[in-house]
Amino acid sequence: MSAFRALGHGRLNKNHKFSIAGVATLGAAALTFSLVPGNASAEADTQTVAAAPVAWSAAAGSAQAKTVHTSITQQQVGADRMAKAVADARAKADAKVAAAAKAKADAKAAAQAKVKAAAEAKAAAKKRADEQAAASRAAARKPVYANNLDGWIRESLAIMKKHGIPGTYEGLHRNIIRESSGDPRAINNWDINAQNGIPSKGLLQVIKPTFDAYHIPGTPHDQYHPVANITAAANYAADRYGSIDNVDSAY
């Protein structure tokens, strides 16, 4: 006997039908509820599981890119430091080589300067020795003139020859005797020159302007000096008359 028959002798009334339908409906709903949430949860889980790898891959990729970028930056910094270190080492090496070359060049220049200085000192010493020897030879050869009229005339002739001034012993002696009688301190205080305030003086009686104009360098600038007086007068006579030899009177 079935369960339905046990309830009310095999007949289902209207209330029973509604109850059974309700139970069936509730059972279906329960079954549906039990299945759908399960399926929804599974789908959600599936979606979560499916999305999670995508989200993880993006984050991991970003982290990995950041790590790679950091690594490249660090490598670049390291490379730059190494390049700078190499450049600094090369610069130091170049500076060391340059310093060594300069030191070598300076030492060479100093040695050359020392050799040159020694050579110059030796040459200067030799020159001084040669000059002293020449002076000694010249002094040995230099004639000694007597401190008298003869000596004054002869010394004057030597100076005149050196300066290209013509004249002879005879011409000088003759004019000296006529002008001053051989007195180097002679002075004319009565002629026109004396009246003009420029008296004739010395062996050949020259006035101051004439003496100054025709004075021979190397002789004293003194009208009364015998040799200075003779050479200046002979120079003037050569300029005006061609030679002291051509003078036979006041000139």
Side-chain angles (χ1 to χ4, degrees):
M1 176 169 52
S2 68
F4 294 110
R5 286 184 178 181
L7 295 175
H9 306 283
R11 292 178 179 263
L12 296 174
N13 59 26
K14 186 176 181 178
N15 292 331
H16 290 158
K17 292 180 180 178
F18 281 125
S19 297
I20 293 170
V23 170
T25 301
L26 290 173
L31 179 61
T32 302
F33 177 78
S34 63
L35 291 175
V36 171
N39 291 336
S41 176
E43 289 176 359
D45 291 341
T46 302
Q47 290 176 357
T48 301
V49 171
V54 174
W56 178 85
S57 297
S62 177
Q64 185 176 11
K66 184 176 181 180
T67 302
V68 171
H69 177 72
T70 301
S71 177
I72 292 174
T73 301
Q74 291 175 346
Q75 291 177 7
Q76 184 62 44
V77 171
D80 291 342
R81 288 177 179 174
M82 183 175 293
K84 185 177 184 303
V86 171
D88 291 344
R90 182 175 299 171
K92 288 181 180 179
D94 292 343
K96 187 175 181 180
V97 171
K102 184 177 183 301
K104 184 177 180 180
D106 290 344
K108 183 178 180 180
Q112 290 176 342
K114 187 175 181 180
V115 171
K116 183 180 179 181
E120 289 176 349
K122 184 177 180 180
K126 185 177 184 301
K127 183 179 180 181
R128 287 194 300 270
D130 292 343
E131 288 175 348
Q132 291 174 355
S136 298
R137 290 191 298 268
R141 291 193 303 266
K142 185 177 180 180
V144 178
Y145 298 103
N147 189 24
N148 54 33
L149 182 57
D150 179 72
W152 300 331
I153 292 175
R154 293 184 185 282
E155 185 175 358
S156 297
L157 286 170
I159 294 173
M160 290 164 58
K161 181 178 180 181
K162 182 179 178 181
H163 289 271
I165 301 171
T168 64
Y169 186 99
E170 187 276 330
L172 291 174
H173 187 272
R174 173 167 39 85
N175 283 282
I176 289 171
I177 295 302
R178 187 190 67 250
E179 293 292 332
S180 66
S181 300
D183 180 6
R185 303 298 299 180
I187 183 171
N188 186 327
N189 288 316
W190 58 86
D191 65 4
I192 187 62
N193 292 322
Q195 293 174 19
N196 292 332
I198 48 173
S200 302
K201 297 178 180 180
L203 291 175
L204 284 172
Q205 292 290 285
V206 293
I207 59 175
K208 186 69 164 57
T210 300
F211 180 82
D212 290 341
Y214 291 93
H215 172 256
I216 300 300
T219 63
H221 202 92
D222 178 4
Q223 280 180 268
Y224 288 115
H225 189 277
V227 175
N229 187 280
I230 292 172
T231 53
N235 193 23
Y236 164 72
D239 182 49
R240 186 166 183 181
Y241 303 102
S243 173
I244 191 68
D245 294 347
N246 299 329
V247 178
D248 290 312
S249 61
Y251 59 108

